[in-house]
Amino acid sequence: QSALTQPASVSGSPGQSITISCTGTSSDVGGYNLVSWYQQHPGKAPKLMIYEGSKRPSGLSNRFSGSKSGNTASLTISGLQAEDEADYYCCSYAGSRGTLFGGGTKLTVL
Amino acid sequence: EVQLLESGGGLVQPGGSLRLSCAASRFIFASYAMSWVRQAPGKGLEWVSTIRGSGDKTYYADSVRGRFTISRDNSKNTLHLQMSSLRAEDTSTYYCAKEVASNGWFEGSFDFWGQGTLVTVSS
């Protein structure tokens, strides 16, 4: 069982918006502003999408956004596109426990 | 752009040892903490270990503490992971990853990843 809890799957139609949640505790997600999100296509290395909860790496589409409320972080993808279909992982710094990943969410674009 | 190139993976028997390396280029290596993250076949990501930019402090997941040792050579822009007492559950693709923060500290966000090297532990 992963330390951070994500839904196993989400789906949406092209053009729609979806949100993936990531629930932790006050010792990780809720305790630090250090949540990141990664996109991973099959057979590829993960790609950073969001860091420090809501910051986007340079050049990344503003269709991707991050937020946090209490012990739950969220990744929202607006204007869904076929190429967004992938696995998404949340990650949080957790102090003495290092850094923790969620179990991953498979996004299907219908 | 930043490049990270892992090497050293392969097939090893349970109880054996293996040393992974990651050659880094196109950034100031010593300014960034570096990490190893692994992914078992068909499974999710698992953080393994991190070393600060200066190499003065290391961090390990409970699952590998006491068996794995992370190190770095800032003069050669190279990261290493010495793995011993390997178990079947260590079978994974091991990724080298660069920290986002340029202060050399461990903050658990990774902006560049290598392509990964596969480690298979089996008799």
Side-chain angles (χ1 to χ4, degrees), chain A residues 16-53:
Chain A
Q16 288 186 333
S17 295
I18 62 95
T19 296
I20 300 172
S21 62
C22 171
T23 301
T25 70
S26 59
S27 297
D28 38 70
V29 174
Y32 304 92
N33 193 28
L34 292 172
V35 172
S36 51
W37 289 89
Y38 303 88
Q39 176 193 66
Q40 188 179 35
H41 288 107
K44 301 294 187 181
K47 176 184 177 182
L48 178 67
M49 308 303 283
I50 296 290
Y51 67 102
E52 292 180 13

Side-chain angles (χ1 to χ4, degrees), chain B residues 3 9 11 35 53 107 122:
Chain B
Q3 287 194 343
L11 176 63
S35 299
E107 295 185 356
S122 174

Side-chain angles (χ1 to χ4, degrees), chain A residues 51-72:
Chain A
Y51 67 102
E52 292 180 13
S54 60
K55 295 182 180 179
R56 278 188 305 273
S58 175
L60 191 73
S61 169
N62 60 8
R63 297 188 300 107
F64 294 85
S65 62
S67 63
K68 189 182 81 168
S69 177
N71 296 336
T72 298

